[in-house]
Amino acid sequence: MISLTACATADSDAPPGACPPVVAYSRDEQARVAEEVAVLSEGALIVRWLADYAVLRDQARACTRR
């Protein structure tokens, strides 16, 4: 494994512009979505998808802070 790191020719930071933008949502929009999610049937697949999207947003924010 150590020998493989010697092959790296560039650092691992994302190049400028490589991070996806994070769309900003207003508090009103966030409240509306929370209300809409609350009335979904138990086990609705979209809830899991929204959780995945939240992770992607966190990753995009972390990318821009590097």
Side-chain angles (χ1 to χ4, degrees):
M1 203 47 106
I2 292 172
S3 63
L4 292 177
T5 59
C7 296
T9 58
D11 75 39
S12 62
D13 290 340
C19 299
V22 178
V23 177
Y25 298 109
S26 71
R27 289 192 183 272
D28 288 340
E29 289 173 314
Q30 293 176 44
R32 180 176 169 184
V33 168
E35 291 171 3
E36 292 177 6
V37 168
V39 299
L40 291 171
S41 61
E42 189 173 333
L45 184 58
I46 190 69
V47 174
R48 192 177 93 214
W49 289 13
L50 290 171
D52 292 343
Y53 178 60
V55 170
L56 291 173
R57 289 175 58 83
D58 289 343
Q59 292 170 339
R61 279 190 209 97
C63 180
T64 59
R65 285 192 292 263
R66 289 185 200 165

